[in-house]
Each structure stands twice: as C-alpha cells, then as structure tokens.
Amino acid sequence: MSYPISKTIYISYSDEDKDTANQLSETLQSLLGEDSWMREFDLNGGGLLVEEIGEAIADAKWFILLLSVNSINSRWLRFEFDLATLRAIEDLGVKLIILKLDQSNLPRHLEVALSIQPTVDVSGAKDLFNEFFRVAEYINQHSEQETQNEVYVDRGESSDQFSLLARRNKIISIFGWPGIGKSSFVTQSVSKVLNKSPLIITINKGFSLDYLARQILRKSHVQQPLNSDALSDEQLLLLAIDALTQRASRLFLFLDNAELALDGSGELLSFLERFLAAFIDSEIPTHIVLATTRNPSISAKIGQYADLLPLGGLAKKYIRESVDLWLEGTDRYEQIIKQPAIEEVVSLTGGHPLAAKLLASYLKVKPAEQLLTNTERQSFELKLARHILQSTDTSILDALQKLILQILATVQEAMTVEDLLSVEELSAFPIEDIHRAKSALSDYFLIEQDGEYISLHNFLVTYYRDQVSDFGERRDKIAYDVGMYAYNKALALNSEFKTLQIEREVDSDDKRIAKLSNEIFRYAIPASRLLLTVGEEKLAEELPISVKGTLREMVFFLYQEKRDFKKALRYAEKWLELNPNDSEIVLYRARCLRNFRDPTSIAKAEEILSRLDPATSSRYFATRLYREKALLAETKGDKERAKAYFREGIALDREYPYVHNYVGLAKLLIDESRNLHSESRQRQRLLKEAIGFLKKARSIEIPLFDRFHLGLYIEALTEVGDNETALQLLNTALKDRPNDSRLNYAMAEILRKRDEIDQAEPYAKRAFDSGAQKAPLSLANILYDQAQRLLVRRAESAARTKLRNAISVLAKFKPEYGDDEEVADTIRSKVFRALNDYQSARDCIKKYSTSTRTYTIYEHCRVDVGEAMLAENKGRVGEALALLNNAMERLNVHSSHQSTNHPLAELRDEVQRIISRIESRFA
C-alpha cells in the first residue's frame, strides 16, 4: 500500500529576517497548494531538525535556510550544522535550498557545507515574488526524487526471505555477527519490503519496561508522563501500545542491539517478553524487527508469531564495490584502488560491511600493504576492524578526535555538538576545530550521524570505552560534566514545562507540551546514569524522569569498570527485587559476594550459584557459570575443584569458546608449576599445557586476550625460557598501543624479573597512572628493589622514601580474585619489614598462616628471622631461638622437596646457620 506524498517545508531564519520568511511562506503555500505544509525551524531555539522531521513521516521534506549576516551566528548554524550534518540530513530524505539574503562571509564549516547546495541569491533582487516562484518550481520538480546517499548493497535473497517471513509473522529477529550489516539491512531493505519507516530504538543494558515504553513515546512524538504522574509500568506500556497503533500505517518498530535484552541463558528479559506479549494481544497492524548477535530463546506464546532470519556476510565483489564507492572523491582515489594488495585486504573483511567501512577509511591515509604485515590478521568477527582501529588511534587520529570518541563512548548516548561542549576539556577547543574533527571522524566512518546527533557504532563503543577506562579520571570528569549539564537542562526544561501547563492551560496532547516532555526525557535519562556513575545519587533522585533499568546498568558499570563490589551488590539486589529471574544479575550478585572474600559472603555466593543449573542454561551462560564456580573454589583454596570446573566449562564451549575459562585454567597450572623443581618434568608438563590453553585463548579473540591476558602468556613463555617470543609479542603490541596499561604492566614485570629495575620503572608508572589492575603490585616491587640497592649504598633516607611510596602505591590496589589479596599483603609485609616495622609486617600476613604458596611461606619466615635478630641484639636469646625454630619448622615442611637453589631451601640453610651460630655462642 502506498501513500500520497505531501510536502513539509521547514523555513529557517533569524528573528531579524522574519518578514522575508513570512513572505516566502505565504508565497510557497499559495503556489504549491494544499499538499504542502509550512513549518518554522528556529535557528536559535535549541531544537533539532532530526526531531522536527520525525513528525513528517513519509512526506517529501524540504529545508529552506534564509542565510544572512543575522543567521550565520545562530545557535543551530554555529554548533550543529556542517558537512557531516548535511550528509546525515540528506540521508533522512530532506532536501535543502539556500536562500541567500546578503553577501555575508561564511565561517569555514558553513562555507564547505553550503557550497554544494542549490542556492537562490536574492540579495540584489528587486522582485522577491519572482525569486520565490523559482523556489516553488524547484520544489515541485524534485519532490518525487528519492534521496539515497548511503552506500548500501541490496541483499535481494535475504529481502525476499524476509518478505515471506513477514507475511506470516509480526515479529522477526535478524540474526548475525557484529558488523555484518543487520541495522543497514533493516533500515534499507526491510523498510522497502514493508513500505514503512523504522521507528528505531537501540537497546542497552539499562533497558526496562518503563524505559522501552518511554522510548516509543519519544520516537512517536507523544507526550512523556513525568514522574509526578506516578504511572505504573503497565500504564506506560498501554501508552506505548497506543502510540504504535497510531503510527502503525507508516511505521514498524526496529529494536537494534536486541542481544542486550537477553539474559545469560539467551531468554528474553522480562521487560521485552511483556512488551512483545502486549504487542501480540493488541493485534497492531505493523511489525517488530529485532537485530541481534545472539539467537534468542522465545516463549511458546510469542514464538507462534515470531521467526528468525540469519544474515551472513556480503560477497567479496560487493565488499570491493562498497570500498570503491566509499573512497570516491578521495584525492588519491585512482592510486588507492590500483594498489596490488587491495584485493587481499578486501578478502580479510570476511564480508563484514563495518570492517569494509573502516578499511576504506584506513586506505585513505595508509597503504594496503601495511595491513598485511600483521602476522595475526584474521577476518573472523571483525579482527581486521580492531586492528585498523588500533592503527588509526596511533597514526591517524589527533588528540581532539580521540577525545570526541572517548566522550561518546563514556556517555553512550547520541549527542549533538552542543551537548559535547558540556565537557570542560572539549570546550577549550575553538568551535571550528571541533567541526573539523567531527567531519574527519565522519569521513573515517568512526561516528554515525542521524541528523544532528552523533554516536558510535556498538562495536566501536566497546573499543573506545575500554580505551577511556584506562584513564579513570578523564572518564569520571566526562561523566560528571555531561551529567551535570544534562541534569541542569532537564530541570530547566521541567520548569518551562510546568509554566507552560499553567499559563496556556492546554490539553495534554498539545505539541509544545509533548515536545518539551520528550526533551526532558532526552536529558534526564543520561543525567541519571552518568551522575550515578560518579556517586551523585542525591542529584539523580531529583530528576523529573527516571527509569528502573538504570539499576541494572549500574550493576555492570560498578562491577566491571569501577570495581566497587559493595555498590554493585546494592544495585543488583534492588534490581532483583523487581526482576528476580534475571540470571545475568544473579550471577553478578554472586561475583560481588565472592570478591568480599569473608566466609559469610563466600557461603552466600555458593548458595546462589547452586541455584543456577548449567544443565538448564544455554551453553554460553553455562561456560560462564562454570568459570564463576571455579573462581569461588579458587578463593576458598580448593585448586583441584577449581581446575575441574574450568575444564567442564571448556568442554561445553566448542561452538562459542569462552576465553576466560582457558586463561583461568592456565593460571592455575602455572601457579602449580611454581612449587615444583625448576627442572622437574612435571613442571615442564604443566607449563606446556598452560601455554597450550593460552594459545587457544589467544586464537579465539586476539585483541581481548592481548588487552587482558598477554602478561600471563608472556609470563608462561618466560617460565619455559622462551624470552625471545615473549619480548617479540610485547614489543609488537606496544608499538600499536604504547599507552596500553596492561601491556606496560607486562613489560614492567618482564624487566623486573630480569633485574632491570630502573628500565622497568617507567613502564610500571605508566601502567599505574593509567589504571592497570595489578600495576600497584609491580610498582611496589620495583620501589622495594630500588630501596634495597639504596640501603646497600647506605642512602637510608632515600631508601625509606622509596619504601613509604611503595606502601602508598599498594593502598591503591583492589584485589580481584584468586590470590590477588595474598600477593598484595605479602609485598606489603616485606616493605614494612624493610622499614623495620615487624609488627605491621606480621599483621599483613597473619591470616595466611596455613598458606602453601612459596612467597607467603618465605615472607612468614623472613619476619621470624628479622624479629629474631632484633631479639638477639637486645639479649633475648630464648625468644630469638624460638622464632628461628618456628621458621625452621615451617621450612622443613615446605622446602624438603625443593632443589638446593630454591628460595625456601636457601632460606632453610640460612636459618640453620643462624641457629648454629647463636647456640655455639651461648653454649
């Protein structure tokens, strides 16, 4: 079914040019007739064209800009309009006409954007009506033409398949790998099949039923109830269903990133289950399309109305064609496409359009051959794209461009340029530089633009969020700046909303009221989330709109990024009161408790995990569940059970291998090997097996592995004497990512263990400053070793300064799992021991009296020996011998099977010599 095309014409002007705008509006209305609708767009009003045109669904949309000295410095032209915005607006089907009222000079960003637009110069016209008539003629001639600037390959076979599925089912899931082109397929091909426009909602981890309903109201341009209205979730759901019903003839609902609405077992979270059930019961004459990277498990009721369409990669010829199209207009176009290596690098994309986009941006500035020098190149699941991003970071992007990407990754919401400027660090840059950086990022396909809104692709959000997490202070400052900006905007808009209701006494469906309520919603939700991330809970509670899903999102943020397990647990328990069957959050609740390490919390974590049955879970969730059981067993000191759980998880994950099970098992095997003789065949077997598991883990996901676990792999390689491979891996990785916190930590540890202490220090400091989890341990060890050297040179004051710094550094360490806390306390003990504070040293390790770890046993004995020496010097010989015999007893148990050059064996010989000396002296 098709609809008659009407023309919605937006006339935009400054207040000083209002008379001309009125003349133009009246003339066009009379010339174009009843199928044209005149609307104003206030260049200084703070509104967004993308929000305005959403109401003109299926219309031919025109935007006429009255350009003059008065309008050039308007809010919209100054902050939001540039070449990237122009392209995005044209992609939305809007055609622009410039009406030039004078010969004013344009800023560079406007000059570039407007120079390619149809322009009518009326600055010297004596008869304005004649010029306006030309505008009307142009609009009539071009209103039927489709605007399609985005490069897109029509997947004909998949479109036909979707058409068949849509005839019998109202809910279709588009299933495929990240970056495979699901979103483009829906917005392009599905829209044509259904002859409707998509109402797009991008799911995130903070979604709940009230949030989904409010998003539908916003995208449908229906008034948002404020919190003072105290509507229940069911009432909001009914409002959302009504809004969809009103728009059903011209819209279908598109839920992007729908995998984030699945629980750990792949089942729909309750909010989406309830919404889809209500949609089915309401018999709305439209469709819901979901894009997901995981195959959802759907209940029988919904399954009757649902179907799945797998989406594969594009054929190589289409990828090549797309790359060529994306490169068109580039200065070096002919040179680029004739590179001998281009066919091979195109093959590396594996049919992923996103990887192909990033490849095109890379080829604009670097030769194709450079990608082929990466010996680990693999096309599967966007490994090429990740490699391009790493290279782009180090050699293409400047500091301003990186900052914009990090802001978008931190906020995780579509933002305007004016929103971006709320970040104090960014506001220091000239606006022209910001427009230039934004346009460059658009050309590199690193940002997506919807009208004035800019955002990151979901895959890129993950990459740049990890990057900004290395700079915790910057991330928190961004969150605070944007959170406070959005908070103040929400409160100001809410005040305006209330005033408007009182003064105008209009019905709730008044357009201005609806628009204001949705603007409040746009600012209030990110304000709440961002303020909560920086601990401003009281301010978050003052916002006029909140959604329950923020509780869920905070669990992930506080656990994964802040490592604040106490707060994460509090939010998890609040969320589970509302959604007790959310298995993902149940698992995180157990994780938080496990990290507390006290017996009561460990028992609670075990009880929670016992209720999660791997046999009834999806394989993916079961593998993660086994990992958590393994970590819990490891925390309790039961290493054999931990290894068994890791092996069970590995046995399950043949289809979707889970890196962390391989790494966890390898770590336990390496720890076990450390307690064996250096030449023991059993030790070599354990290390060989560990390296095998680490190699497998690295083959699954190189970027993730290298970011989090490369240090362990390098450690294992050095244990078996393969230092050359270890250093080669590390040096290669550091060339790509010189500021990577974990890579710097790994290099610091290698150099430290080779006794290259001074060379290790800058790497350790870089890792510590950028927030590497174990960097405090490495830096404290280095400071301790430097202090020992200073003591040998009798520089006692400088040595004590180093040791006190080591204590301060260790105070920043947050244990994660396994023996992290024990290692930190043992290092802390030896530092206090070097300061001759034996009581503090003993307090650090007294809870590990039964530990079987070599370094803990060694430290217990060293404290005994140190105190014995002090007692002997004070004439307390009996006390000294008692302490030495205590150390000897411990060493006899644990050092008998060690080689003569093992630290415990050497210490046993040393203690025996001291005992013999004292006994002979006082015989």
Side-chain angles (χ1 to χ4, degrees), residues 83 87 360-361 364 438-447:
L83 186 57
R87 291 169 180 161
S361 72
K364 290 176 183 178
K438 177 190 152 198
S439 293
L441 292 172
S442 179
D443 288 341
Y444 294 148
F445 307 115
L446 294 177
I447 60 173

Side-chain angles (χ1 to χ4, degrees), residues 874-891:
K874 294 179 180 179
R876 301 198 297 269
V877 177
E879 181 183 340
L881 285 171
L883 286 164
L884 291 167
N885 285 325
N886 185 56
M888 198 65 180
E889 184 178 343
R890 191 186 298 269
L891 288 166

Side-chain angles (χ1 to χ4, degrees), residues 217 334 361 378 390 669 835:
L217 296 180
E334 292 295 333
S361 72
Q378 294 184 46
Q390 292 165 3
L669 294 172
L835 287 165

Side-chain angles (χ1 to χ4, degrees), residues 622-631 633 639-654 658-670 672 682 685-693:
T623 60
R624 296 165 64 226
L625 182 54
Y626 276 124
R627 175 182 183 256
E628 186 55 35
K629 287 175 177 283
L631 293 177
K639 304 301 170 60
E640 291 305 313
R641 182 177 289 273
K643 286 192 291 184
Y645 280 135
F646 279 131
R647 291 186 191 277
E648 285 190 75
I650 289 170
L652 269 181
D653 67 1
R654 301 302 180 196
Y658 187 56
V659 170
H660 301 291
N661 278 325
Y662 292 89
V663 172
L665 181 55
K667 183 177 181 297
L668 288 176
L669 294 172
I670 292 168
E672 186 179 345
Q682 171 68 0
R685 187 191 66 77
L686 289 170
L687 287 170
K688 185 177 179 181
E689 186 181 9
I691 288 172
F693 283 124

Side-chain angles (χ1 to χ4, degrees), residues 357-500:
K357 260 190 176 183
L358 295 178
L359 172 61
S361 72
Y362 181 94
L363 293 174
K364 290 176 183 178
V365 291
K366 301 185 79 173
E369 288 81 1
Q370 287 196 21
L371 282 176
L372 301 179
T373 61
N374 176 20
T375 56
E376 302 291 349
R377 68 183 189 275
Q378 294 184 46
S379 60
F380 183 67
E381 204 178 351
L382 297 185
K383 288 186 174 68
L384 173 70
R386 288 179 184 269
H387 179 64
I388 292 171
L389 285 170
Q390 292 165 3
S391 178
T392 300
D393 272 347
T394 56
S395 62
I396 298 174
L397 300 184
D398 61 28
L400 175 56
Q401 292 162 352
K402 289 180 184 178
L403 176 57
I404 291 173
L405 293 170
Q406 290 172 4
I407 293 170
L408 293 171
T410 300
V411 178
Q412 296 181 51
E413 294 275 350
M415 301 179 74
T416 66
V417 171
E418 189 172 4
D419 297 337
L420 287 169
L421 287 170
S422 63
V423 176
E424 184 179 2
E425 189 176 353
L426 185 66
S427 65
F429 291 89
I431 189 67
E432 286 294 310
D433 289 356
I434 293 170
H435 279 295
R436 194 177 302 113
K438 177 190 152 198
S439 293
L441 292 172
S442 179
D443 288 341
Y444 294 148
F445 307 115
L446 294 177
I447 60 173
E448 296 185 328
Q449 187 142 355
D450 179 19
E452 298 92 335
Y453 290 123
I454 59 174
S455 60
L456 294 176
H457 184 281
N458 189 49
F459 165 73
L460 303 182
V461 168
T462 302
Y463 179 86
Y464 285 104
R465 188 182 64 222
D466 286 347
Q467 187 187 83
V468 76
S469 292
D470 284 344
F471 304 93
E473 290 185 6
R474 170 179 272 190
R475 178 197 59 197
D476 288 349
K477 186 65 169 64
I478 291 170
Y480 181 81
D481 287 349
V482 180
M484 288 304 300
Y485 160 79
Y487 165 85
N488 289 322
K489 290 281 286 189
L491 292 191
L493 289 165
N494 190 47
S495 177
E496 184 181 347
F497 179 87
K498 291 178 179 178
T499 301
L500 191 60

